[in-house]
Amino acid sequence: NAGVTQTPKFQVLKTGQSMTLQCAQDMNHNSMYWYRQDPGMGLRLIYYSASEGTTDKGEVPNGYNVSRLNKREFSLRLESAAPSQTSVYFCASSSNRDRYSEQYFGPGTRLTVT
Amino acid sequence: AQSVAQPEDQVNVAEGNPLTVKCTYSVSGNPYLFWYVQYPNRGLQFLLKYITGDNLVKGSYGFEAEFNKSQTSFHLKKPSALVSDSALYFCAVRDMSGGSYIPTFGRGTSLIVHP
C-alpha cells in the first residue's frame, strides 16, 4: 500500500516549457486535490476532483489544467511555465466528501522555473 | 465562509518541556478540525482530528489537541517535547454544514525543539 505517489520528485523548467505532474493513489479514494506550497503562504488549493470525471477550480487555478484520468490518477499540467510557478506541489486524496475525512498527501514535487 | 489562523510563525521549546501550537478558527456552523505535521522535504501527515464529543482529542506521536468552542480554538499540545518533533504544523478546518467540503489550512507554525 503505497498511499499517494507523485512523479517527478524534482523538475527544472525554462519559462514557456510545459510539463505534467503525475499523482496516483491506491486507497480507493474518491476525492483528489492539487496544492502548491510557498514559503509563508501555507497550502493553496489549485484544483480538486470530488470524484472520477469531475474537476473544480480551487484558490489559484490560473496557469494550470488538470485531468482526472480514472479513480486512481489525477494529473496537473503546466502549459507554459512561468517563474511564478516555482513552488512545491502536493497531491492529496481523501476517502469521500464527508467533511470529517482527513487527507493523505504525497511526497511532493519541487519545481523550479527559470 | 471558513478560515483558520495560526498566530505564531515559530514556536521554540526546550526538549522535555510541554509544547503548545495555537490555532483559532471561524466557521458559520460547527467545525471539523484537523492537525497535520510536515517534516522537512516530506508531504503533510495527518496527526489528529476533532469531529464531535470529547473536547480533548488524542493523536499520533503523543500529541493531543483541545477543542474550545467558546474561544474558537483548537490548540495542539504535547506534555514533553522531543527534538524529533521539530517540524511544520498545520491546522485545518471544515464547516460541518453548508458551503464547500474543501478544508481551509492555516499558514503553518514551525516548531523548533532545542536539545
Side-chain angles (χ1 to χ4, degrees):
Chain A
N1 190 338
V4 180
T5 56
Q6 292 182 237
T7 55
K9 286 188 167 48
F10 302 94
Q11 184 70 50
V12 179
L13 291 178
K14 294 187 189 308
T15 298
Q17 288 184 318
S18 62
M19 78 162 295
T20 299
L21 282 64
Q22 306 286 355
C23 173
Q25 52 90 9
D26 61 3
M27 295 172 282
N28 201 35
H29 286 170
N30 288 320
S31 299
M32 298 186 74
Y33 315 78
W34 276 106
Y35 292 92
R36 59 178 289 173
Q37 184 179 28
D38 302 291
M41 302 291 289
L43 286 175
R44 291 185 292 170
L45 183 67
I46 305 171
Y47 271 93
Y48 64 100
S49 170
S51 61
E52 186 178 353
T54 69
T55 60
D56 288 287
K57 294 179 180 179
E59 182 186 352
V60 289
N62 291 345
Y64 305 95
N65 284 300
V66 290
S67 295
R68 184 74 183 266
L69 304 168
N70 48 54
K71 192 171 185 179
R72 289 187 64 248
E73 298 171 291
F74 188 39
S75 63
L76 178 72
R77 182 159 179 84
L78 287 71
E79 290 290 352
S80 179
S84 61
Q85 294 178 304
T86 293
S87 188
V88 182
Y89 291 85
F90 289 101
C91 179
S93 69
S94 62
S95 63
N96 50 38
R97 291 187 64 168
D98 285 352
R99 295 164 189 267
Y100 53 81
S101 298
E102 64 270 22
Q103 292 172 297
Y104 293 80
F105 286 81
T109 294
R110 195 172 295 271
L111 175 67
T112 302
V113 183
T114 60
Chain B
Q2 59 191 30
S3 66
V4 63
Q6 294 182 240
E8 301 153 319
D9 289 336
Q10 184 171 304
V11 169
N12 291 277
V13 64
E15 188 174 30
N17 283 1
L19 69 87
T20 299
V21 182
K22 295 180 181 176
C23 172
T24 59
Y25 67 90
S26 174
V27 294
S28 302
N30 290 314
Y32 292 126
L33 292 154
F34 306 80
W35 275 104
Y36 293 84
V37 60
Q38 184 181 29
Y39 298 103
N41 301 314
R42 304 287 292 274
L44 278 68
Q45 286 178 238
F46 169 71
L47 269 182
L48 51 78
K49 65 183 175 185
Y50 171 80
I51 302 173
T52 187
D54 195 347
N55 289 341
L56 187 64
V57 180
K58 294 190 184 298
S60 306
Y61 311 122
F63 283 93
E64 56 191 26
E66 186 169 13
F67 172 65
N68 187 315
K69 187 171 184 177
S70 63
Q71 296 186 4
T72 62
S73 67
F74 188 55
H75 300 333
L76 182 69
K77 301 183 180 189
K78 188 174 183 182
S80 179
L82 299 172
V83 172
S84 57
D85 292 330
S86 299
L88 194 55
Y89 290 81
F90 289 94
C91 182
V93 67
R94 281 193 183 118
D95 198 326
M96 271 192 197
S97 58
S100 171
Y101 74 100
I102 303 299
T104 298
F105 283 83
R107 292 193 170 191
T109 299
S110 178
L111 173 67
I112 300 175
V113 182
H114 302 275

